[in-house]
Amino acid sequence: MSSNDRLTRELREIQLCPGNEVCADCGAPDPSWGSCSLGVFVCLACSGIHRNISDVSKVKSLCLSRWEDHEVQFMAENGNDLMKLRYESCVPVYYYKPTHRDCQVLREQWIRAKYERKEFTEPGKSFRYEEATRDGLLMKRGRDNGQFLSRRFVLSERDGTLKYFTKFDAKEPKAVIKVDTINATFQPEKIGNPNGLQITYLKDYSTRNIFVYNDNGKDIVDWLNSIRAVQFHYLKVAFPGATDLELVPKLTRNFLKEGYMEKTGPRQTEGFKKRWFTLDKRRLMYFKDPLDAFAKGEVFLGNRDHGYAASPGLPAGTHCNGAWQHGITIETPDRSFLFTCETESDQQDWLKHFDDVMSAVMSPQEYTMEALFKHRH
Ligand SMILES: *[C@@H]1O[C@H](CO)[C@@H](O)[C@H](O)[C@H]1NC(C)=O
Ligand SMILES: *[C@@H]1O[C@H](CO)[C@@H](O)[C@H](O)[C@H]1NC(C)=O
Ligand SMILES: [Zn+2]
């Protein structure tokens, strides 16, 4: 057996050890690359990011590259668990740690923050996310013309708000957003920019979207984590008895599902129209265009013991003029909603999500939300 075969086999054995069976950076299973300077095993996608920080990380394929004895030894002595203790010992609880399903900019900035900037190796270094205010320019999509223009954004921990201004020296903000109503998620495909961030918030009980980006990946990810830091601070005050682990899930979260369905109006004679749907927990919103500022409508999805149901198909006799065939009927105490999906798998996927939501027990806040919905319609 050549020495390289031997080393490849040894590496494989080390990679199967606890901690090394998933990517050190994104958790993807079965990492096939290693950083022989950092001593961590990473997946193919993360190895590409490591290659761009060649000052600190030297990546090699576990089976295709040539490894030296001392490098294999180094991998054995270090490994993912040990290096996590070094590079992730002080990650703030609110910091968004990406998974392999997250977009490139989040994963890249996490890897750079960890190994290049070494933000999490000692306490206090990541304090910059918690500065009392964050003030800077972001490109924001205009509501009416869809053009992106530079706008000044100010995040204030003391006020618990995110404001934006149309002119840099304007006294009055164009909008004042309360941080406790914000859900911020990266949406590169929808926005058409790799650093595109969607900020959703509530205004007068209805949902409003704004779409921003910044060419600087670090800057836009810093904005996300600063918003989360302020939200976390707000939650600590609002729920003084709660533990950090109980509060983190209340920070901005991703939508359960988004995509097109066709929908008919309340009289069910208007014909089916294609709409963009976003499911955020119990709130099913629909938009004419995925980048619309306001939802055209919202449906509250309560618990199935209280008159809510979702089933495949449409009521007999529905005049189905739309192009899509795979129907879904949602019953609420007030009315029924008819949707159609393009494919059966899409229909099944939506139904699974509706089912999960309707099976879950409602929280006191969700009862309040249901009452507000009833009040509005
Ligand atoms: C590495 O950097 C180049 C140049 O900035 C960039 O185009 C590429 O997408 C980066 N690759 C990864 C995987 O981050
Ligand atoms: C996120 O969205 C939900 C539903 O729209 C809303 O109730 C909540 O306040 C938002 N913010 C957070 C931080 O979850
Ligand atoms: Zn990875």
Side-chain angles (χ1 to χ4, degrees):
M1 190 194 294
S2 78
S3 89
N4 213 44
D5 287 346
R6 177 177 54 80
L7 289 175
T8 303
R9 227 182 45 193
E10 268 179 51
L11 269 173
R12 179 70 185 157
E13 273 161 26
I14 305 166
Q15 187 264 309
L16 291 173
C17 292
N20 298 340
E21 73 279 32
V22 296
C23 172
D25 299 325
C26 74
D30 211 14
S32 54
W33 289 72
S35 168
C36 62
S37 55
L38 294 169
V40 292
F41 293 87
V42 296
C43 70
L44 173 67
C46 291
S47 79
I49 299 170
H50 277 254
R51 199 167 292 119
N52 273 359
I53 50 166
S54 53
D55 287 351
V56 290
S57 186
K58 190 170 170 219
V59 279
K60 291 187 170 186
S61 157
L62 296 185
C63 53
L64 300 174
S65 307
R66 214 186 151 73
W67 289 73
E68 305 291 335
D69 268 306
H70 70 269
E71 291 170 339
V72 174
Q73 183 70 22
F74 185 76
M75 296 303 282
E77 285 165 8
N78 291 287
N80 293 0
D81 279 352
L82 209 56
M83 289 305 97
K84 200 163 258 182
L85 291 180
R86 176 180 305 171
Y87 292 104
E88 296 182 32
S89 67
C90 306
V91 183
V93 279
Y94 54 77
Y95 188 94
Y96 186 83
K97 279 197 208 176
T99 70
H100 59 283
R101 284 185 211 91
D102 279 302
C103 63
Q104 163 83 13
V105 67
L106 273 172
R107 288 184 298 109
E108 176 180 349
Q109 290 307 316
W110 163 235
I111 288 170
R112 286 184 183 272
K114 260 168 82 168
Y115 307 114
E116 192 178 43
R117 302 193 289 271
K118 299 188 177 58
E119 286 181 18
F120 314 121
T121 53
E122 48 192 277
K125 265 198 162 177
S126 42
F127 187 65
R128 59 191 179 83
Y129 299 113
E130 293 157 47
E131 279 165 8
T133 57
R134 189 181 169 88
D135 189 333
L137 297 177
L138 293 173
M139 298 299 287
K140 177 187 167 295
R141 186 178 191 271
R143 197 215 297 179
D144 301 321
N145 59 12
Q147 258 179 31
F148 280 89
L149 294 169
S150 179
R151 296 287 180 244
R152 178 182 174 210
F153 282 76
V154 178
L155 176 70
S156 159
E157 177 177 294
R158 201 194 48 195
D159 306 344
T161 58
L162 175 68
K163 299 178 185 156
Y164 72 87
F165 300 80
T166 43
K167 298 236 168 54
F168 196 81
D169 52 3
K171 295 251 175 344
E172 292 303 316
K174 181 82 195 302
V176 180
I177 304 167
K178 293 180 68 215
V179 288
D180 58 314
T181 70
I182 291 181
N183 287 320
T185 57
F186 276 96
Q187 299 273 5
E189 280 156 38
K190 201 161 107 176
I191 299 174
N193 183 289
N195 299 344
L197 183 69
Q198 173 170 359
I199 298 177
T200 300
Y201 62 98
L202 287 182
K203 190 169 187 257
D204 308 325
Y205 305 118
S206 37
T207 307
R208 173 83 216 260
N209 290 323
I210 57 177
F211 301 93
V212 296
Y213 73 85
N214 187 312
D215 287 330
N216 184 318
K218 175 174 176 297
D219 200 52
I220 194 76
V221 174
D222 282 358
W223 271 101
L224 175 74
N225 284 306
S226 297
I227 291 173
R228 290 173 62 92
V230 173
Q231 287 185 312
F232 190 70
H233 173 87
Y234 174 92
L235 288 169
K236 286 288 244 194
V237 176
F239 303 93
T243 65
D244 288 359
L245 284 182
E246 285 166 339
L247 295 180
V248 167
K250 293 184 195 290
L251 294 175
T252 58
R253 55 166 184 265
N254 295 327
F255 299 125
L256 295 177
K257 182 171 166 73
E258 286 199 292
Y260 284 109
M261 288 194 282
E262 292 182 331
K263 159 182 186 307
T264 178
R267 284 180 303 281
Q268 295 164 6
T269 52
E270 295 90 334
F272 281 80
K273 294 197 184 81
K274 192 169 154 187
R275 297 282 179 250
W276 178 261
F277 284 80
T278 298
L279 179 61
D280 183 8
K281 269 226 164 138
R282 294 196 180 274
R283 190 185 289 264
L284 177 66
M285 298 165 269
Y286 53 94
F287 303 85
K288 218 168 156 180
D289 183 279
L291 297 181
D292 280 348
F294 297 101
K296 274 191 82 70
E298 303 188 31
V299 184
F300 180 83
L301 304 179
N303 183 279
R304 65 156 61 94
D305 295 337
H306 301 112
Y308 295 88
S311 52
L314 301 173
T318 307
H319 176 60
C320 197
N321 65 320
W324 293 349
Q325 304 302 322
H326 305 277
I328 292 179
T329 302
I330 289 189
E331 301 287 353
T332 75
D334 300 329
R335 60 168 275 203
S336 48
F337 292 87
L338 309 185
F339 307 127
T340 53
C341 302
E342 188 172 18
T343 63
E344 189 181 344
S345 72
D346 211 23
Q347 173 205 38
Q348 294 304 318
D349 197 42
W350 277 111
L351 279 169
K352 187 190 156 296
H353 284 290
F354 295 150
D355 226 54
D356 288 349
V357 170
M358 290 178 185
S359 310
V361 176
M362 297 225 306
S363 67
Q365 290 92 327
E366 289 172 339
Y367 278 109
T368 312
M369 192 174 151
E370 183 183 32
L372 288 170
F373 261 85
K374 288 226 166 89
H375 185 73
R376 240 191 325 145
H377 295 288

